[in-house]
Amino acid sequence: MKKHNFYAGPSILSQYTIKNTADAVLNFADTGLSILEVSHRSKEFQAVMDEAQALVKELLDVPAGYSVLFLGGGASLQFAMVPYNLMRTKAAYLDTGVWAHKAIKEAKLFGEVDVVASSEDRNYNYIPKGYAVPDDADYFHYTTNNTIYGTEIRKDPETKVRLVADMSSDIFSRPVDVAKYDLIYAGAQKNLAPAGATLIIVRDEVLNNPPRPIPTMLNYKTHVDKGSMFNTPPVLPIFSALQTLRYYKEMGGVKELEKFDLAKAAKLYEAIDSSKVFQATVPDHEDRSIMNVCFVMKPEYAELEKQFMELATSKGIVGIKGHRSVGGFRASLYNALPMESVDALVAAMKEFENKL
Ligand SMILES: *Cc1c(COP(=O)(O)O)cnc(C)c1O
């Protein structure tokens, strides 16, 4: 049976990515060797790295003066690397969920953290508005998409200070005005590649004059100076990332991906909002994520959750269990998810309702 993969991360990848990765595991670039057993210094892999970096720049329209890196350690390592490299005395953070919270915890090791606003009071089911970022902060950090709670900020903020964003779960789902940012990071396993690589886009200039001595591997400059090849990079995830980036280009780039993602999300939210059984956990439409759609059973149907899960499973729908801190369901609609899978989920919801 065809599976409909709604996992939040690691998550669905395009068939193009999976097929080409599988082929390269057997024979990489006609070397007669597997991608798993070639030197990262080989000319064949250098070509992979070069093209992957160039395609990130092309797809996101990255201006001159920025570098693209693929590092290990996950997005979680960036929670520490960002303040290590960029914080002198004080940084401002927006607290919109578990990931933002973890970033704040790490930043506190390096200086004063001004949490400009938080939506923790309502279990992070909205995006705080009307907060002010202090002018004397070294940078402002926010999470564009809150994977666990299904909220998203889809407009690049205006700030006077340097801007840093965790775009792990919505990168490549819309055009981004990269010039507004000094650093963007994203774990690969949500919209790009298998786990193991983290994409970083950094303005080179911010790395001059570091605030403190930084261990070599945690210093962005080390990696920028060596074209992300200071040490052995995550070869396989980078190869897969390249396939996804080629696929995104083939699809027409991020503007087209955004149209597609908006259409998928609109269809699912519409089914939830018009349902007598289900309800969305994020009330304000403006704050709703187009990547992770969170919903629960209305209180009067709460005990039917398991039954719906069983029906969904019988239809090949996998990965819709909500994160434990929200409960209910979460359908992740990453770029590679076909409309057909959204249709399957909506059909299962309707079938369930009609049986009641
Ligand atoms: C998944 C996720 C992370 C953590 O990523 P790791 O690569 O597992 O460290 C951080 N931020 C956001 C927004 C995420 O969705």
Side-chain angles (χ1 to χ4, degrees), residues 114 138 184 225 278 314 349:
D114 185 342
D138 294 315
I184 292 168
D225 288 348
F278 301 99
S314 77
M349 291 163 67

Side-chain angles (χ1 to χ4, degrees), residues 8 31 35 58 70 126 152 242 305 333:
T31 55
I35 181 80
E58 184 181 333
F70 293 95
Y126 70 103
E152 189 175 17
L242 171 60
E305 195 172 300
L333 314 181

Side-chain angles (χ1 to χ4, degrees), residues 8-9 73-79 98-100 102 143-148 166-170 185-190 195-198 292 330 334:
S76 298
L77 181 60
Q78 298 307 306
F79 299 161
V98 163
W99 299 118
K102 289 187 176 179
T143 313
T144 50
N145 184 64
N146 300 286
T147 324
I148 293 174
D166 175 358
M167 297 195 183
S168 290
S169 52
D170 67 350
Y185 61 91
Q189 68 274 22
K190 282 136 188 169
T198 307
N292 312 97
R330 169 176 53 175
Y334 297 122

Side-chain angles (χ1 to χ4, degrees), residues 13-37 193-194 235-244 246:
L13 292 169
S14 74
Q15 280 305 306
Y16 179 87
T17 302
I18 290 172
K19 170 79 173 49
N20 287 346
T21 302
D23 288 349
V25 167
L26 298 176
N27 180 7
F28 166 54
D30 278 326
T31 55
L33 300 171
S34 167
I35 181 80
L36 305 177
E37 57 179 4
V235 169
L236 184 78
I238 295 169
F239 178 86
S240 295
L242 171 60
Q243 307 314 309
T244 302
R246 284 179 178 168

Side-chain angles (χ1 to χ4, degrees), residues 29 73 101 126 184 269 307 318 323 327:
H101 210 82
Y126 70 103
I184 292 168
Y269 281 120
Q307 254 170 277
V318 297
H323 189 273

